[in-house]
Amino acid sequence: MTADDGATGEGGAGGAAREKVVDEDFGDGTDPLALRLESLILGAERRYTPFQAARAAGVSMDLAARFWRAMGFADIGQAKALTEADVLALRRLAGLVEAGLLSEPMAVQVARSTGQTTARLADWQIDSFLMGLTEPQEPGLSRTEITYPLVELLLPELEEFLIYVWRRQLAAATGRVVQAADDAEMVDRRLAVGFADLVGFTRLTRRLEEEELGELVEAFETTAADLVAAHGGRLIKTLGDEVLYAADDAGTAAEIGLRLIETLAHDETMPELRVGIAFGTVTTRMGDVFGTTVNLASRLTSIAPRDAVLVDSAFAEELARSGDAPKSEAEAAAAGGTDYRFALQPMWQRPVRGLGVVEPWLLTRRGG
């Protein structure tokens, strides 16, 4: 969708070039099966140009274009490529703003976060799921011929499952927020943040075939996601050779970090792992986390020994406060060493770029 105020498109040589792209993408040359699949998935046929859709939704062309771009959709000039569902989506977002439930910038953020999340989900489903299922099942049937009936069968099931998971995640996120001590803590919260990084990944990219590398990354991400979820943490994002997770308490984050090390150490196909964890105030935005605590966790990961977990002093203090680790070995000896889950060994203080001098602690299991 473009921000033009009229339905005639742009003039001059630039406009002609734009119209040519539009014709190629949305004109009569579009693959008929692609159009049928689009109609099946969207539940409607193409009917509106962007200008017509904006007018039907009762919003300005400028606001409609901002919503579209935030959702991750490309500008299409004034091609007739939009449906009733597109009009309804614009009307709903604009309605939330008009009712005062969302500010206009917040509505754009809602569009952007939803678009980014679902775009990745859709790409994964097509690349890793549908492509495998659309292999020819019968001699003489091409992948193209089997795709439409397969999507027709899967679409309602996947849609219901997506809504179920989203509601579950929304309930969990809402529960965490309402338990915050005060309003400020709903946005700026004290969390444990951990990074886990595969050692020598750059060298692996030069040695492994693309398919092997993809399988390794997928196995790492799957293992990390399962462990983080199983032990009560939240996977924030994956970056190929690195995962970022968060937990409400230090004990949970420590257990996840050590479990990651232990699990991958028993997998001969996996490289060694380094984990860094920090505890402190974190700003949350659109499902991501930001701030000095996150930066510190990342720096600790970069200096951590192989197959080891480094934590900052605030994290070590939080483990001691919660009774998960002793404040000192003398305290542990006095308690018989049986009441603690973790052990902490102070490392040499060192300067960390952008964060000054930090005192890392080596985290291990008690008696491990």
Side-chain angles (χ1 to χ4, degrees), residues 146-159:
I146 201 174
T147 297
Y148 188 93
L150 184 63
V151 171
E152 192 172 27
L153 290 171
L154 286 173
L155 185 62
E157 302 301 325
L158 292 177
E159 183 177 18

Side-chain angles (χ1 to χ4, degrees), residues 60-324:
S60 69
M61 189 63 208
D62 178 67
L63 182 59
R66 289 173 62 200
F67 282 152
W68 265 116
R69 289 168 183 159
M71 286 185 278
F73 302 130
D75 290 350
I76 58 172
Q78 288 302 326
K80 185 174 287 189
L82 305 183
T83 72
E84 289 288 352
D86 299 306
V87 173
L88 182 59
L90 290 174
R91 190 176 294 150
R92 281 175 170 163
L93 277 174
L96 292 172
V97 175
E98 291 172 3
L101 296 173
L102 294 178
S103 66
E104 190 172 302
M106 181 59 69
V108 172
Q109 282 190 8
V110 168
R112 179 169 291 111
S113 62
T114 306
Q116 289 177 354
T117 302
T118 53
R120 184 179 182 188
L121 174 63
D123 284 341
W124 183 91
Q125 288 176 331
I126 293 299
D127 292 343
S128 303
F129 185 51
L130 290 179
M131 291 298 288
L133 288 178
T134 53
E135 291 293 340
Q137 304 297 307
E138 298 289 342
L141 280 180
S142 67
R143 177 179 293 164
T144 298
E145 290 170 322
I146 201 174
T147 297
Y148 188 93
L150 184 63
V151 171
E152 192 172 27
L153 290 171
L154 286 173
L155 185 62
E157 302 301 325
L158 292 177
E159 183 177 18
E160 289 296 325
F161 185 69
L162 174 62
I163 293 172
Y164 155 73
V165 175
W166 171 71
R167 284 182 178 272
R168 268 288 180 187
Q169 294 286 7
L170 189 64
T174 304
R176 290 193 297 268
V177 168
V178 299
Q179 293 179 50
D182 51 47
D183 289 347
E185 196 176 318
M186 289 186 179
V187 177
D188 297 322
R189 305 168 58 196
R190 287 180 63 77
L191 296 174
V193 177
F195 276 93
D197 177 56
L198 292 175
V199 177
F201 186 76
T202 302
R203 291 193 300 274
L204 281 175
T205 60
R206 294 192 291 264
R207 182 165 57 86
L208 297 179
E209 297 290 338
E210 289 184 5
E211 184 174 350
E212 293 177 310
L213 191 63
E215 290 174 352
L216 185 145
V217 168
E218 184 175 358
F220 171 56
E221 291 184 350
T222 300
T223 300
D226 288 348
L227 284 173
V228 170
H231 294 281
R234 298 185 298 285
L235 186 68
I236 304 299
K237 60 186 174 184
T238 60
L239 303 169
D241 63 328
E242 190 173 62
V243 298
L244 169 61
Y245 70 91
D248 293 328
D249 62 273
T252 297
E255 182 65 30
I256 291 171
L258 291 171
R259 289 272 183 174
L260 285 168
I261 295 287
E262 293 159 359
T263 301
L264 266 64
H266 288 90
D267 188 340
E268 295 181 354
T269 66
M270 283 289 173
E272 295 162 306
L273 191 69
R274 296 179 296 202
V275 177
I277 316 175
F279 187 87
T281 301
V282 174
T283 298
T284 59
R285 290 287 187 278
M286 293 174 59
D288 207 344
V289 291
F290 306 92
T292 301
T293 302
V294 180
N295 295 337
L296 179 54
S298 177
R299 298 289 189 272
L300 288 170
T301 306
S302 66
I303 62 175
R306 295 170 181 238
D307 283 341
V309 181
L310 276 190
V311 304
D312 74 323
S313 56
F315 188 92
E317 290 172 5
E318 189 66 16
L319 279 182
R321 187 195 65 77
S322 64
D324 286 309

